[in-house]
């Protein structure tokens, strides 16, 4: 188990925006501001893929986004860059299976940072829990255009399978999720919906965030 109160983490996972500078057509800080106004509960800075920023440019953008999140009480997670996360004192770190080992990240980050781990098999899920993950990222639930090396989509059944195996730590579902299909994902047992394109590519990121938020108002969340 991770270091944080699972009830706190569960609350924060609900509408979880993930984005880097290449995921938006308007500047990312503008999209983030709209998404925050629309009610997102968590943000992950995922600066990856062709043309991604590095070094000082990446750090400067991270600092700017962190400030926006801090001003509005939205925790700020860094994807796969432990040094950056520690340097800017982010609220958490998310790692995939090909990134730094989660147990190592937990050691470096201490107990008080949120640690998320992407999992695609039940075994990976058990290992992530052992390593001290606060939440699991489970996907891709539906087909995604936002990750070049994404695995084949699993459907909401992947969430059901995690729960059936007795894993009850907070789970954020990811991959092709939007306001139209999010409800069935919550009903399958997900605590939160992680999205890139549903917000970053929406004509109104604000409206998209509002619609995702509203799914939790009439769904029975755990
Ligand atoms: N991780 P969208 S799928 C970043 O399966 C990421 O672990 C995935 O983007 C996984 O909401 C994915 O636009 C991309 O489909 C999600």
């Amino acid at each position: 188990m991770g270091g944080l109160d699972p009830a706190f983490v569960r609350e924060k996972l609900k509408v979880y925006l993930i984005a880097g500078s290449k995921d938006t057509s308007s500047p990312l800080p503008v999209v983030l501001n709209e998404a925050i106004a629309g009610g997102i509960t968590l943000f992950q800075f995922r600066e990856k893929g062709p043309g991604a920023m590095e070094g000082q440019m990446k750090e400067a953008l991270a600092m700017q986004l962190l400030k926006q999140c801090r001003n509005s009480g939205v925790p700020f997670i860094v994807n796969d860059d432990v040094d950056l996360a520690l340097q800017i004192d982010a609220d958490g770190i998310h790692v995939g299976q090909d990134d730094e080992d989660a147990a190592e990240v937990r050691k470096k980050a201490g107990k008080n940072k949120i640690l998320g781990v992407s999992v695609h098999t039940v075994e990976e899920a058990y290992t992530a829990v052992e390593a001290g993950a606060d939440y699991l990222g489970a996907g891709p639930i539906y087909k995604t255009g936002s990750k070049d090396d994404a695995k084949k989509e699993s459907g909401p059944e992947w969430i059901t399978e995690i729960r059936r195996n007795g894993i009850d730590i907070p789970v954020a579902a990811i991959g092709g999720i939007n306001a139209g299909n999010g409800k069935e994902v919550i009903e399958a047992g997900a605590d939160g919906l992680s999205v890139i394109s549903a917000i970053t590519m929406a004509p109104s990121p604000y409206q998209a965030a509002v619609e995702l938020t509203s799914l939790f108002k009439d769904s029975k969340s755990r």
Side-chain angles (χ1 to χ4, degrees):
M1 271 300 277
L4 296 164
D5 176 6
F8 166 80
V9 177
R10 205 161 263 140
E11 244 343 270
K12 294 299 172 192
L13 285 184
K14 286 183 173 173
V15 183
Y16 185 179
L17 172 63
I18 300 176
S21 62
K22 297 288 156 221
D23 295 312
T24 56
S25 43
S26 316
L28 178 50
V30 174
V31 172
L32 178 59
N33 258 345
E34 279 202 43
I36 288 173
I40 62 160
T41 50
L42 191 60
F43 175 68
Q44 180 191 125
F45 179 49
R46 182 175 180 274
E47 189 65 15
K48 265 198 171 154
M53 289 180 184
E54 288 175 18
Q56 279 187 352
M57 287 255 288
K58 180 180 176 185
E59 189 185 322
L61 178 58
M63 295 277 285
Q64 181 176 352
L65 302 170
L66 171 65
K67 199 158 134 201
Q68 288 174 252
C69 286
R70 286 272 152 87
N71 286 341
S72 43
V74 172
F76 179 93
I77 310 279
V78 174
N79 181 290
D80 182 24
D81 190 338
V82 184
D83 291 344
L84 176 64
L86 296 180
Q87 193 176 326
I88 66 174
D89 195 21
D91 301 299
I93 300 158
H94 186 97
V95 287
Q97 295 295 319
D98 299 329
D99 304 334
E100 189 167 344
D101 179 65
E104 281 303 309
V105 177
R106 171 55 82 201
K107 262 192 232 157
K108 285 189 193 171
K111 289 200 309 261
N112 295 327
K113 294 215 186 288
I114 303 171
L115 174 61
V117 180
S118 296
V119 298
H120 306 98
T121 65
V122 171
E123 200 179 343
E124 287 174 1
Y126 283 131
T127 306
V129 173
E130 288 256 303
D134 289 299
Y135 74 88
L136 305 177
I141 304 298
Y142 304 107
K143 199 166 166 45
T144 177
S146 306
K147 188 173 193 277
D148 291 341
D149 58 349
K151 300 205 180 324
K152 190 172 160 34
E153 61 270 24
S154 60
E157 297 75 31
W158 173 214
I159 308 293
T160 322
E161 196 183 336
I162 290 174
R163 296 309 187 199
R164 209 179 34 237
N165 279 276
I167 297 162
D168 65 354
I169 75 166
V171 172
I174 188 162
I177 295 172
N178 55 46
N181 59 25
K183 198 159 182 209
E184 63 192 22
V185 181
I186 299 167
E187 283 169 355
D191 298 292
L193 306 176
S194 306
V195 306
I196 299 181
S197 56
I199 290 181
T200 64
M201 297 297 181
S204 164
Y206 166 78
Q207 191 57 34
V210 166
E211 285 171 19
L212 286 162
T213 305
S214 75
L215 298 179
F216 290 91
K217 303 222 161 93
D218 50 24
S219 279
K220 67 173 170 42
S221 58
R222 298 165 359 120

